[in-house]
Amino acid sequence: MWKPDRSDKKPIYQQIVDHIERSISYAELPPGSALPSERKLAEQLGVNRSTVIQAYEELRASGLVESVVGSGTRVSLTKWGISPSHTPNWRQYTEGGTFLPNLPLMRRIREVTQNDASIINMASGELSSDLFPNTIVHRLLREQHFQEHLGYDDPQGYSPLRNSLVASLKQYNGIDTTESSLLITSGSQQSLYLITQCLLSPGDAVAIEDPSYCYSLPMFQSAGLRIFRLPVHQDGIEPEDIAALYRQHRIRMVFLNPNYQNPTGTILSEAKRKRLLAIAADLRIPIVEDDPFSLTSFSGAVPPSLKAMDTDGIVLYIGSLSKIAASGLRIGWMIAPQSVIGRLSDARQQMDFGLSIVSQWVAERLLASESFEDHIHQLRHALDGKQRIMVQSLKDMLGDKVTFCQPQGGLNLWCKINQPVDDSKLLEESIKRGVVFVPGSVYGSEPGYIRFSYAKPGLNDIPAGVAAFSRALENI
């Protein structure tokens, strides 16, 4: 994103004016385009609001923009020979389409974290950069020469990577599979997108955990699916709820995150796993198991996956490197029957002709390296330490104002605020004090819940972030 140059002798407000003028003249901002509010633009650019006010005043004086009370500031409809009759109605286009935009609170969180490097980010589910296996990757790149073909690859993904995943999934998750049953994706969300777009139809009923990360993904609504809730308890969902939903709504698929569930951190009990698989097999309902966190188990005892227990071929298993290694590699995978893999591979090829061979090669070398297991051990230790600091900070600074359970893995703490609170107001108040989190309503919960992630912030930032949140809650 463009930022003013503070070393330039030209006043900052004038740099803003020049930048907006250029954007209008290049048709990046067509006639009628809405400009950010003065407060938002000041926040994005890291300048005083008075500076933006001065810039907007000059733009209004020149006739380039116009402001209407209640409607904000927009690019003027006619200026410099630009005629709205010759310009597509981009607002109509952007508000159309079948793929819905992100939830407003998620867009607000992304806006803040992208534009303010100083904010303490306890919203992101990404690892901090010091937890990435940078040293291992750098050594692999030095010692091993890349000699792969740079053309289009197999639609299912780089064959050596699929072979390494077969071994890794067996070693760490107890899953038996073959490379022909594996599809490499750009991450868990692409796997979910392919499933919702290719295996389901508008109007189909699906069951999702409540609360659930899936609620924060508009792709389910974009696909026209009817969503029904499965309440999450301390030991996961109730399998009998699936049978009840099937009788009432003929649900066609179940989406679950059974290990260190996002956002609650709960683990589905072994007894419930067995009962769940029996019910799903009896009703012939596929289960989509999203399993990004199981290898983060602090003790090293990885909870069993549903796929490892699946003897009827009803579980579609999704995983990725994003939460255990490097989100920037954009490497995920799906295990499914070969007929399903063929269908989804064909769809993925229509979308992007496959992933970059370079990132797949790096991922394969990383998984095959003897150092990968050491990385996982170090990651578990680091996440355990970060969680302990967050837990102690919450106890010291908030006491009985919040309650939470302490999972033994994952990246998040799910907290209940023990007083009435407005999610949006609390988020804005926290942003003012330099910390951001995810309100529980994003995941479909009732007001008063929040998700703190301890993976992204540094060790010293965690207590500072909790302190800033405490002050925000007190002010509310």
Side-chain angles (χ1 to χ4, degrees):
M1 179 180 177
W2 178 85
K3 297 274 189 180
D5 182 358
R6 296 184 182 276
S7 65
D8 194 329
K9 293 181 180 180
K10 184 182 291 186
I12 289 178
Y13 87 90
Q14 189 60 54
Q15 293 183 47
I16 297 172
V17 170
D18 293 346
H19 171 70
I20 293 176
E21 282 187 356
R22 272 194 308 274
S23 298
I24 294 172
S25 66
Y26 294 166
E28 294 171 0
L29 291 173
S33 298
L35 298 181
S37 68
E38 294 159 353
R39 178 184 60 79
K40 275 196 175 180
L41 187 57
E43 186 178 274
Q44 290 172 4
L45 301 180
V47 301
N48 292 328
R49 184 178 176 185
S50 59
T51 304
V52 176
I53 291 173
Q54 189 175 4
Y56 275 10
E57 284 177 351
E58 181 151 329
L59 288 164
R60 278 193 292 269
S62 68
L64 283 174
V65 304
E66 51 195 23
S67 299
V68 179
V69 176
S71 299
T73 302
R74 294 183 178 275
V75 177
S76 296
L77 290 175
T78 54
K79 182 66 179 175
W80 292 354
I82 301 172
S83 171
S85 63
H86 299 152
T87 305
N89 186 342
W90 289 118
R91 182 179 180 183
Q92 185 179 47
Y93 281 98
T94 57
E95 292 177 354
T98 58
F99 200 79
L100 299 174
N102 263 313
L103 300 176
L105 285 177
M106 292 302 290
R107 294 203 300 272
R108 176 63 176 143
I109 291 167
R110 181 180 294 116
E111 175 188 47
V112 171
T113 54
Q114 285 178 340
N115 296 311
D116 186 355
S118 67
I119 199 150
I120 297 173
N121 187 350
M122 298 200 296
S124 175
E126 184 181 36
L127 301 176
S128 56
S129 58
D130 61 302
L131 299 183
F132 295 157
N134 291 318
T135 303
I136 301 174
V137 171
H138 291 162
R139 177 172 54 78
L140 291 172
L141 292 172
R142 281 196 313 268
E143 296 176 356
Q144 302 183 30
H145 298 292
F146 177 82
Q147 296 177 323
E148 301 299 317
H149 175 59
L150 286 172
Y152 293 129
D153 191 33
D154 188 320
Q156 272 186 244
Y158 183 48
S159 180
L161 174 56
R162 285 186 281 137
N163 279 319
S164 288
L165 275 169
V166 167
S168 179
L169 289 164
K170 175 64 176 177
Q171 176 184 351
Y172 292 105
N173 304 95
I175 296 174
D176 290 306
T177 190
T178 62
E179 69 157 317
S180 56
S181 297
L182 271 166
L183 171 66
I184 306 300
T185 67
S186 64
S188 296
Q189 287 191 206
Q190 187 181 56
S191 297
L192 291 171
Y193 179 79
L194 288 168
I195 289 169
T196 58
Q197 291 294 319
C198 302
L199 305 184
L200 296 166
S201 301
D204 281 350
V206 298
I208 302 177
E209 293 161 313
D210 175 23
S212 170
Y213 173 70
C214 289
Y215 282 109
S216 70
L217 302 176
M219 68 174 70
F220 287 84
Q221 290 88 347
S222 297
L225 304 177
R226 294 183 293 136
I227 299 174
F228 296 94
R229 299 173 178 241
L230 294 168
V232 175
H233 307 282
Q234 287 189 350
D235 58 350
I237 65 157
E238 292 295 341
E240 302 300 335
D241 289 346
I242 293 174
L245 285 177
Y246 180 79
R247 288 193 297 270
Q248 296 173 27
H249 305 288
R250 287 297 185 266
I251 57 170
R252 295 205 62 213
M253 197 170 281
V254 179
F255 291 81
L256 298 178
N257 174 198
N259 290 335
Y260 308 119
Q261 195 257 359
N262 188 4
T264 64
T266 57
I267 294 179
L268 186 65
S269 69
E270 185 176 356
K272 285 186 173 182
R273 289 171 196 259
K274 292 177 179 178
R275 180 60 182 149
L276 167 67
L277 290 169
I279 289 173
D282 184 51
L283 299 175
R284 302 182 69 187
I285 302 174
I287 297 172
V288 177
E289 179 184 15
D290 190 6
D291 189 25
F293 305 116
S294 60
L295 294 197
T296 65
S297 173
F298 300 157
S299 68
V302 178
S305 68
L306 289 172
K307 186 61 183 174
M309 303 169 66
D310 175 24
T311 58
D312 297 294
I314 60 173
V315 176
L316 305 180
Y317 181 86
I318 294 173
S320 86
L321 288 179
S322 295
K323 310 303 182 186
I324 58 171
S327 51
L329 282 176
R330 304 312 306 134
I331 295 294
W333 53 85
M334 186 193 312
I335 303 175
Q338 291 179 22
S339 58
V340 173
I341 293 295
R343 170 72 176 98
L344 301 187
S345 297
D346 176 74
R348 226 281 302 284
Q349 189 175 31
Q350 295 180 54
M351 293 169 60
D352 57 18
F353 276 96
L355 302 175
S356 162
I357 187 64
V358 178
S359 62
Q360 291 185 86
W361 179 83
V362 172
E364 191 279 325
R365 293 290 79 205
L366 177 64
L367 286 172
S369 167
E370 294 179 357
S371 301
F372 182 69
E373 188 167 1
D374 293 334
H375 162 72
I376 293 297
H377 285 309
Q378 292 168 13
L379 175 67
R380 290 167 175 164
H381 177 73
L383 290 174
D384 186 14
K386 283 189 166 185
Q387 190 203 77
R388 290 174 188 272
I389 291 173
M390 179 169 280
V391 166
Q392 193 59 52
S393 298
L394 289 169
K395 289 179 178 178
D396 292 344
M397 300 177 199
L398 288 161
D400 59 3
K401 292 180 183 177
V402 298
T403 52
F404 54 88
C405 293
Q406 189 173 349
Q408 294 306 299
L411 312 183
N412 310 302
L413 279 182
W414 182 242
C415 302
K416 183 180 188 302
I417 302 172
N418 297 321
Q419 65 185 64
V421 67
D422 182 294
D423 279 358
S424 298
K425 288 182 179 178
L426 180 57
L427 178 61
E428 289 300 329
E429 197 68 28
S430 297
I431 290 170
K432 289 179 186 176
R433 285 162 171 73
V435 65
V436 65
F437 59 88
V438 183
S441 57
V442 167
Y443 303 113
S445 78
E446 59 188 26
Y449 285 86
I450 58 173
R451 192 198 76 173
F452 283 134
S453 174
Y454 45 82
K456 182 76 170 177
L459 292 175
N460 295 329
D461 287 335
I462 293 174
V466 173
F469 173 82
S470 179
R471 291 191 296 271
L473 182 61
E474 185 67 29
N475 192 61
I476 288 288

